Amino acid sequence: MQLTQLTHGQQGVVESITSSESSAKRLADIGFVRGARLQMVRPGDPCIVRIDETCVGLGFGHQKHIYVGGS
Amino acid sequence: MRTLPRAATGTASATIALIGNPNTGKTTLFNRLTGFNQRVGNYPGVTVERTTGKLKCSPSDRPITIIDLPGTYSLSAGSADEAVVLDALSGRIRNTPTPDAICCVVDAKNLRRNLFLVTQLIELGLPVIVALNMTDLAQAAGIEIDENELAKALGVPVVPVVATRAIGVEELCKALTESTEGDTPPAPVVFPEEVNVHIDRLVTRITRSSDERSIAPPPRAIIAQALLTPGGFHEHRLLLEYGDELAVSLATSRHQLSKIGFRVAEIEADARYAWIGGALARCQTSSKLRDISLTEKADRVLTHPVSGLVILILIMGAVFQSVYAWTAPLIDIIDAAFGELGVYAAGLLPAGALQSLITDGVISGVGAVLVFLPQILVLFLFIAILEDCGYMARAAFLLDRFMRFLGLNGKSFIPLLSSFACAIPGIMAARTIENTRDRLLTVVIAPLMSCSARLPVYMLLIAIFVPNTQLLWGITNTQTIMLLCMYFVGIFTALAVAFVLKRTLLKGESQPFLMEMPTYKWPSPKTVFHRVADRGKQFCIQAGTIIFAMTIVIWALGYYPRPASIAASYEQQRTTLEAEISEGFASLAAAASSDLGILEDSLATDIETLSARFAEFNQQFTDTIEGEGFEEGSEAYVAAVSAYQQRVDELTGSSPLGEYALAHYHLSTSTSAKLNEVDRREAGDYLRQSFLGRIGHFIEPAVSPLGWDWRIGTAAIASFPAREVVIGALGTIFNLGGEQDEGSSTLRSTIVRAETPDGEPLFNLAVALSIMVFFALCCQCGATLATIKRETNTWRWPVFAFVYMTGLAYVMALVTYQVAIRVI
Ligand SMILES: Nc1nc2c(ncn2[C@@H]2O[C@H](COP(=O)(O)OP(=O)(O)O)[C@@H](O)[C@H]2O)c(=O)[nH]1
Ligand SMILES: [Mg+2]
């Protein structure tokens, strides 16, 4: 499912990222890669997602390209 | 393995670059290592330019230079501030030596993400030292890191530190000094064999073609970046250098990689995070179950779409209220002090050009500006606290949707917010915006945010012309609200300009929001202090240089020439007046003597003494009224008047000379007023025919629709180099024009008294509004324009900014004045 569908507190593992190459690269640099575990802290547009100890604010344009599976 | 071009070993000096993710404490560490006070803040993008300093503990025979750099998540530069890092690494920045070693600053709480960059850096072939920073916060979060294991896995030294508390800094210093001497160990192999083959093939190709042209080939890691980041910064650079032949090789390699099942853009991230996962399993343990951190709890409220916005607005309101209310008494004190200083200096110096230069030029000019120092300091106190506690990123987060609606992006928010302090760092902070069009847009609207240099203009005029009425049960007042409105004039105009530009000149898709939300922390007093002190110093330097110079220029233009004909004609008037006065006094004494039958000699002096008592009473009366701030018509005022009247009556009745003394007193006040009036007219005549007056006369038709006279117009033009100059210029011009009080001449009292040639007050609320709107929107700041030129590399954008802002300022001031005179 898309990252946008995660609800507050729900966790997931990144399955794929379908953004353009440059966006995907940016996301990867900051930790969004296949296999990364994340948790939705504040759903919405933009949302806040936690990866490890970092919270990252993500706009809808990024969220819709990130697909996650259940943990 | 290829290495970056290195300074020959054994040279007398060495350079170490501080590199790391944004907000990992690089600058804090830099300040520790060098003793500097570079700006630190708890959000990504504080540092956007390199700074160099000398390592404090470096051996005397071999000084080590440290370079502080902007933060970056990886070596595949996306934005201009990240490009600075790459340029510094390859020695492409002028006056900055190529680094001999890298100190990678790592946030211990976020090892996984931070190690991504570390593994890239190690591949560059330079010695790398990892500074494992924020170990205090990691410990608090229950993360244990075995630094020896980590050092083994990476093959480079790892030094745990806490930059804010200087823990481990000595060890780091030692490691840094040693690092520039030893050999570089091989980097860990992170890419799969199949990928390495292709990278090696490219390296051979490029090396061959470099040798042919006898240039130094780029390091292997950079070639790998070019291969694995299609369309990226490095590919672009290498293609420029090596041309089409390389393009073919890159395409072939990528094609072959994808044939065996790789997705080129994902190779690097997958490989590195896989390697990092393995390394972390060996050296990092989370000892306790993660409980909900304070930051998360705070964010539940602070980033909530409703409560978050309400709090944001409350914070802004509180800042304005304090800037206004806290500083007013201080301003009055400083203002009065400068007024007294002027009187004192005037007494010390002989009348003439020098006295005029010091009192009318320097003291009224520079003094009028320095009065506003407290406000600047209080404003920066708040800015510094907000910056260092981690709130800025949240504000950007909250306003992202709104910004996107206008065609901006959440990342534009931080540069725009910084512009409230000063547009220059704001414009530079726009480097963190990857998209060029978004960056340009942010740069051209940033100067519309009301920077702290506009504060004095607003404060001066609001304090005089906006009635101070309590609102909301005394929580705030009309003056604060007016100040807030002035800020909104700038904000709304900026948003409207953005809206238009985004749909015309700078069309295009903007990037979605992506920003790390740093952990909240208590602002460090040291950081806050330095931020405030820095700005205070800058303000004083500005006052001491540009404003000082401009006021002298304005003074000189307004003082010269001084034709003798004016002096002669007024000398004539003065002599006539003086003769009238002594005649008046003589006839009073004569009348008293004949009515009362007393000898004349002592009589005249007795009348004078009594008359002085009346003057004393009057002085006491006005002091009470002004000191207590009694309003005319109020009960207290009426009481004071009748008390005064009673004292006057008593004194009149106390002696047979009373009547005559009272008449003497009235005569002397009216004649001294007449004399003052002559002085004032003389000063006005001098000013009108001075160089400044002639220029002013020329521009008057252009500014009179705004409700300004030529004096305001010339002050506005004179303030082109820096907008604070307008305050100094007004002070000087009105003082030269003889508009000041007889006593201490503060700019405020001068402005209240200033008159048009018809004797009407020059300033009123409509004029004040029109001036404020003009200054809110105009681009009176040479330094800002120079910065735009530097950041965009062309004169086109500074010229554009200047023209559109000045045009808008004029039109809006015109509309404001014309509406205001009809409504008020
Ligand atoms: N608790 C803690 N905070 C730190 C440490 N080092 C830096 N900081 C804070 O982290 C924030 C970012 O620091 P800064 O030097 O601007 O990071 P830069 O962006 O990497 O230059 C500031 O608020 C610092 O006070 C540390 O070791 N421990
Ligand atoms: Mg920094």
Side-chain angles (χ1 to χ4, degrees), chain B residues 341-410:
Chain B
L341 185 66
V343 175
Y344 177 72
L348 231 54
L349 297 164
L354 182 66
Q355 189 201 53
S356 172
L357 171 65
I358 299 295
T359 56
D360 300 332
V362 178
I363 295 177
S364 355
V366 176
V369 177
L370 279 183
V371 162
F372 295 97
L373 184 62
Q375 252 133 14
I376 306 281
L377 297 185
V378 171
L379 180 66
F380 269 74
L381 179 71
F382 282 100
I383 290 178
I385 291 174
L386 287 177
E387 278 180 348
D388 207 39
C389 74
Y391 187 73
M392 297 293 256
R394 273 72 185 187
F397 173 85
L398 284 170
L399 292 172
D400 174 63
R401 280 184 82 154
F402 178 60
M403 301 291 275
R404 215 169 37 210
F405 162 74
L406 295 158
L408 288 159
N409 126 2

Side-chain angles (χ1 to χ4, degrees), chain B residues 266-530:
Chain B
E266 291 173 14
I267 292 174
E268 188 188 7
D270 283 348
R272 286 195 201 282
Y273 281 115
W275 186 91
I276 291 166
L280 283 184
R282 270 172 286 140
C283 64
Q284 175 178 303
T285 43
S286 290
S287 59
K288 63 178 175 190
L289 269 181
R290 199 179 165 282
D291 54 12
I292 291 166
S293 68
L294 217 61
T295 293
E296 258 167 72
K297 280 186 202 151
D299 267 345
R300 283 193 191 151
V301 186
L302 294 179
T303 61
H304 187 273
V306 179
S307 64
L309 274 180
V310 170
I311 292 173
L312 179 69
I313 293 168
L314 286 181
I315 290 178
M316 295 300 179
V319 171
F320 280 100
Q321 178 69 21
S322 336
V323 165
Y324 199 88
W326 288 6
T327 54
L330 266 176
I331 288 183
D332 288 343
I333 294 172
I334 304 182
D335 208 13
F338 272 108
E340 291 304 327
L341 185 66
V343 175
Y344 177 72
L348 231 54
L349 297 164
L354 182 66
Q355 189 201 53
S356 172
L357 171 65
I358 299 295
T359 56
D360 300 332
V362 178
I363 295 177
S364 355
V366 176
V369 177
L370 279 183
V371 162
F372 295 97
L373 184 62
Q375 252 133 14
I376 306 281
L377 297 185
V378 171
L379 180 66
F380 269 74
L381 179 71
F382 282 100
I383 290 178
I385 291 174
L386 287 177
E387 278 180 348
D388 207 39
C389 74
Y391 187 73
M392 297 293 256
R394 273 72 185 187
F397 173 85
L398 284 170
L399 292 172
D400 174 63
R401 280 184 82 154
F402 178 60
M403 301 291 275
R404 215 169 37 210
F405 162 74
L406 295 158
L408 288 159
N409 126 2
K411 264 209 171 164
S412 308
F413 180 76
I414 286 188
L416 293 180
L417 199 63
S418 321
S419 299
F420 283 110
C422 171
I424 294 163
I427 288 167
M428 289 179 64
R431 288 184 184 184
T432 58
I433 302 169
E434 289 129 51
N435 184 314
T436 320
R437 272 188 239 97
D438 287 2
R439 184 177 162 206
L440 269 179
L441 183 55
T442 311
V443 165
V444 292
I445 63 168
L448 280 172
M449 301 293 131
S450 279
C451 65
S452 52
R454 283 157 167 122
L455 198 55
V457 182
Y458 299 157
M459 290 298 290
L460 176 71
L461 296 173
I462 289 177
I464 303 175
F465 296 104
V466 178
N468 190 358
T469 315
Q470 301 286 314
L471 292 176
L472 293 176
W473 312 279
I475 298 173
T476 184
N477 59 51
T478 37
Q479 295 186 329
T480 308
I481 300 291
M482 189 69 222
L483 185 64
L484 205 60
C485 286
M486 288 323 299
Y487 276 78
F488 276 108
V489 167
I491 296 172
F492 283 129
T493 312
L495 299 181
V497 170
F499 190 86
V500 173
L501 285 181
K502 190 70 189 180
R503 279 152 190 80
T504 52
L505 271 184
L506 297 168
K507 239 186 257 178
E509 191 72 16
S510 30
Q511 219 119 35
F513 186 72
L514 176 64
M515 188 185 283
E516 196 182 317
M517 301 284 125
T519 320
Y520 288 110
K521 54 169 267 226
W522 285 111
S524 121
K526 192 173 162 222
T527 305
V528 171
F529 172 80
H530 282 298

